[in-house]
Amino acid sequence: MALRQLVRIRGHEYYLKVHFSYLLLPIAATLLRFYYSTLHINIWGEIVVHARIVEIQQGSPTTKIIKFTTAVSLNFHPGQWVDLYIEIDGNIEIGGYSITSTPLEKNFIELAIKESSYNKVSHFLNYSAKIGQEVELIGGQGDCYYHEDLSHHIVLIAGGIGITPLMSILRFICKTSSDVAVRLLYSASSSEEHIFQTELDDLELEFDQLKCNYWITKEIDTQKNYNFGRIDRDAIGTFVTGNSQDFFICGPSEMIDQSVEILLSLDVKRTSLHFEKWW
């Protein structure tokens, strides 16, 4: 398809034929610039989303809560994780982190990142990251996530930084499914290391379906109603009802193994156990 374009050259008027496709070139260029500034597809066919840090909070003495705005909304399920790519000292480094926010928030993602002396990305994000820092994200990833086909009785068992994917699940259920009961069993080394403690207290007051129980393993705190020690068979057994339930477990590998063994010994079906091992 062509258009007739009137032009004037040295006082004379001429009509030139301009093919319609040429008129689309500026539009196409603009769209491509927008595309590559928001997301692109890597060589493995994964969608890479551009993101920028907009807020950094101290979640615990050893953990930062970092909030990002994303150029486009990330496609993930509650409980999944992302790969985060960031430039450090001129090199692109990668770290994997569970998502703590929910898919309900558009163009936004939140991560809680524990300090690590042997993980370059975690160390950088805890001590050197600044507001405005740009990163790239790939996700959501992982097969351990909440979906609406599961039972209406969800038990979340968290150890330390393992609260992160379970926080996404807990938040999502509270905001979308008033008929789903959630029980949280959350263990940390000290009361200060219970990330999201204030928010969890507020959510428990707001949503009758949510009940939270806490353990600390390395100190005795008389200020709150904490259980001392690890989440053991007696503790887990209290929350096994014999009815249809699904259990999500996240924490150190040894804790996951012990929790799975306990639940199986209490006649919980293996298909009702959901977990992934990170370390």
Side-chain angles (χ1 to χ4, degrees):
M1 179 179 179
L3 298 177
R4 285 162 54 86
Q5 175 65 47
L6 177 65
V7 298
R8 289 184 174 85
I9 302 176
R10 294 184 178 180
H12 298 282
E13 294 183 349
Y14 301 90
Y15 280 98
L16 298 179
K17 285 188 176 181
V18 180
H19 198 276
F20 184 70
S21 61
Y22 290 127
L23 300 179
L24 295 178
L25 287 177
I27 299 174
T30 300
L31 291 175
L32 283 172
R33 283 195 297 270
F34 174 76
Y35 173 79
Y36 282 107
S37 68
T38 57
L39 59 85
H40 64 272
I41 310 297
N42 65 16
I43 60 174
W44 295 281
E46 299 169 314
I47 297 176
V48 182
V49 175
H50 295 265
R52 181 170 55 86
I53 296 175
V54 293
E55 186 175 340
I56 301 175
Q57 300 175 346
Q58 194 72 44
S60 80
T62 62
T63 304
K64 284 290 199 310
I65 297 174
I66 303 182
K67 300 179 181 182
F68 302 82
T69 181
T70 58
V72 294
S73 294
L74 209 64
N75 183 23
F76 70 96
H77 300 286
Q80 288 191 307
W81 51 277
V82 294
D83 280 332
L84 183 149
Y85 293 81
I86 188 169
E87 183 176 344
I88 302 175
D89 298 330
N91 298 313
I92 300 299
E93 306 287 349
I94 180 175
Y97 303 100
S98 294
I99 305 167
T100 57
S101 52
T102 77
L104 301 174
E105 293 117 340
K106 303 304 180 184
N107 299 94
F108 172 83
I109 191 171
E110 179 189 85
L111 305 175
I113 300 171
K114 188 175 179 66
E115 195 282 327
S116 172
S117 58
Y118 60 85
N119 186 307
K120 195 169 187 177
V121 177
S122 296
H123 186 82
F124 180 88
L125 290 172
N126 267 271
Y127 294 107
S128 302
K130 306 294 183 185
I131 302 298
Q133 182 98 40
E134 293 185 351
V135 303
E136 291 187 329
L137 304 172
I138 297 177
Q141 302 186 60
D143 298 323
C144 180
Y145 58 85
Y146 173 80
H147 54 85
E148 295 178 354
D149 293 332
L150 296 176
S151 74
H152 283 202
H153 299 275
I154 304 296
V155 180
L156 309 174
I157 304 176
I161 195 64
I163 187 62
T164 50
L166 307 187
M167 196 67 191
S168 176
I169 293 172
L170 183 153
R171 285 168 163 170
F172 183 81
I173 293 175
C174 286
K175 293 177 181 178
T176 63
S177 306
S178 60
D179 59 339
V180 176
V182 182
R183 301 293 179 262
L184 172 65
L185 289 68
Y186 183 9
S187 173
S189 59
S190 67
S191 57
E192 291 182 331
E193 288 296 337
H194 278 117
I195 315 167
F196 303 109
Q197 177 75 74
T198 301
E199 181 182 352
L200 287 168
D201 289 344
D202 292 341
L203 288 172
E204 192 172 12
L205 290 173
E206 183 178 356
F207 297 98
D208 293 336
Q209 71 204 86
L210 172 64
K211 301 298 179 186
C212 301
N213 298 267
Y214 302 96
W215 281 257
I216 50 178
T217 60
K218 294 184 178 179
E219 69 174 30
I220 297 177
D221 192 321
T222 59
Q223 300 300 313
K224 294 195 68 168
N225 187 26
Y226 292 110
N227 300 287
F228 181 73
R230 301 191 181 278
I231 302 174
D232 57 15
R233 179 184 176 86
D234 290 339
I236 292 175
T238 303
F239 295 90
V240 177
T241 64
N243 298 321
S244 177
Q245 291 177 289
D246 280 281
F247 295 80
F248 286 85
I249 312 161
C250 190
S253 181
E254 182 181 357
M255 175 216 159
I256 293 176
D257 290 340
Q258 291 175 348
S259 298
V260 168
E261 182 180 349
I262 290 169
L263 287 164
L264 291 175
S265 72
L266 294 171
D267 297 325
V268 176
K269 296 179 180 179
R270 185 173 289 275
T271 54
S272 297
L273 305 181
H274 312 275
F275 59 90
E276 287 180 330
K277 292 184 179 180
W278 280 73
W279 62 90

